[in-house]
Amino acid sequence: MPLLVEGRRVRLPQSAGDLVRAHPPLEERARLLRGQSVQQVGPQGLLYVQQRELAVTSPKDGSISILGSDDATTCHIVVLRHTGNGATCLTHCDGTDTKAEVPLIMNSIKSFSDHAQCGRLEVHLVGGFNDDRQLSQKLTHQLLSEFDRQEDDIHLVTLCVTELNDREENENHFPIIYGIAVNIKTAEIYRASFQDRGPEEQLRAARALAGGPMISIYDAETEQIRIGPYSWTPFPHVDFWLQQDDKQILEVCQKVESAGLRRHGGQYFGKVVTGSKSELLLT
């Protein structure tokens, strides 16, 4: 069934800007979200969702009242909610495998036994900007297309992505919104940043760095976080890289990206031929 806005079928493909112009309520909601001040969210009742993770729960949860994520640049944060039972999923998508991730998001909501009661599925997409490599544009298109392919009607309520989330400063582009939170009890979605990104921030980040797929990290029935086993390939020359300053690492990473190297499993494949020791270690 189709992706809908105000009861009307979304016409795809089209840019996020064209889509909101065709549906003025979307444009107004994006404007209101951008205009909010950023709220600092503390650890009490929070489950922070890292890149390539999803978490789903409902208002019945006795431990979690807020789901949130930030540090999104080209990434998009997705909130899918069932208005009938209040089941809410938040995930941080980076475009690794959107075709597989959207059904995972859908199934996480359907896993709640009373999902068939009165109500509808509503989706909110936030993140990205006008980046030079157009990674944001690609991810926006992927997410809209995959939600449009699902069997259930999905109502697009918030679209604040890519050009709608872009600001320009000194001819450079940046996102306006880097993070959001959703209150499970009230369904409020708002701009947010987080001092605490746990629990087990380093362990979970290592799984994503190792190239693992998106996973569901929370069992709402037992109210426990569960991270399954994953493999880790040792990072070559880690002692050398730990001795370098941030400027040196940034310069090398920029050269890697401009050379078009392929990233897989947390490592880069290709060759940078400029002669310095640090650059040759990336080959």
Side-chain angles (χ1 to χ4, degrees), residues 189-204:
I189 294 175
Y190 52 93
R191 294 180 64 179
S193 63
F194 308 88
Q195 295 179 340
D196 187 282
R197 293 178 172 84
E200 299 294 345
E201 177 183 359
Q202 289 78 19
L203 174 67
R204 291 158 57 191

Side-chain angles (χ1 to χ4, degrees), residues 259-277:
L261 304 190
R262 296 180 293 110
R263 186 178 186 275
H264 179 71
Q267 298 190 37
Y268 289 94
F269 294 83
K271 182 168 288 187
V272 179
V273 184
T274 57
S276 77
K277 180 180 178 183

Side-chain angles (χ1 to χ4, degrees), residues 38-42 48 69-70 179-180 191-195 197:
V38 178
Q39 298 186 39
Q40 295 285 337
V41 179
Y48 183 85
S69 188
D70 64 357
I180 60 170
R191 294 180 64 179
S193 63
F194 308 88
Q195 295 179 340
R197 293 178 172 84

Side-chain angles (χ1 to χ4, degrees), residues 211-228:
M214 178 176 287
I215 60 168
S216 177
I217 63 168
Y218 186 65
D219 184 335
E221 183 175 348
T222 62
E223 299 185 2
Q224 293 180 336
I225 290 179
R226 293 184 177 180
I227 307 295

Side-chain angles (χ1 to χ4, degrees), residues 108-130:
S108 72
I109 292 294
K110 292 181 179 181
S111 66
F112 285 77
S113 60
D114 57 350
H115 72 275
Q117 68 182 28
C118 295
R120 67 181 195 176
L121 290 169
E122 295 184 345
V123 68
H124 309 261
L125 308 179
V126 180
F129 69 109
N130 281 333

Side-chain angles (χ1 to χ4, degrees), residues 164-240:
L164 304 172
N165 191 43
D166 182 82
R167 66 180 178 88
E168 187 173 356
E169 182 179 327
N170 297 326
E171 299 184 353
N172 294 311
H173 291 264
F174 304 91
I176 298 172
I177 301 174
Y178 288 89
I180 60 170
V182 55
N183 187 309
I184 305 302
K185 316 296 184 183
T186 67
E188 178 189 7
I189 294 175
Y190 52 93
R191 294 180 64 179
S193 63
F194 308 88
Q195 295 179 340
D196 187 282
R197 293 178 172 84
E200 299 294 345
E201 177 183 359
Q202 289 78 19
L203 174 67
R204 291 158 57 191
R207 188 201 66 84
L209 185 61
M214 178 176 287
I215 60 168
S216 177
I217 63 168
Y218 186 65
D219 184 335
E221 183 175 348
T222 62
E223 299 185 2
Q224 293 180 336
I225 290 179
R226 293 184 177 180
I227 307 295
Y230 59 88
S231 60
W232 172 259
T233 302
F235 192 97
H237 313 290
V238 65
D239 292 339
F240 170 81

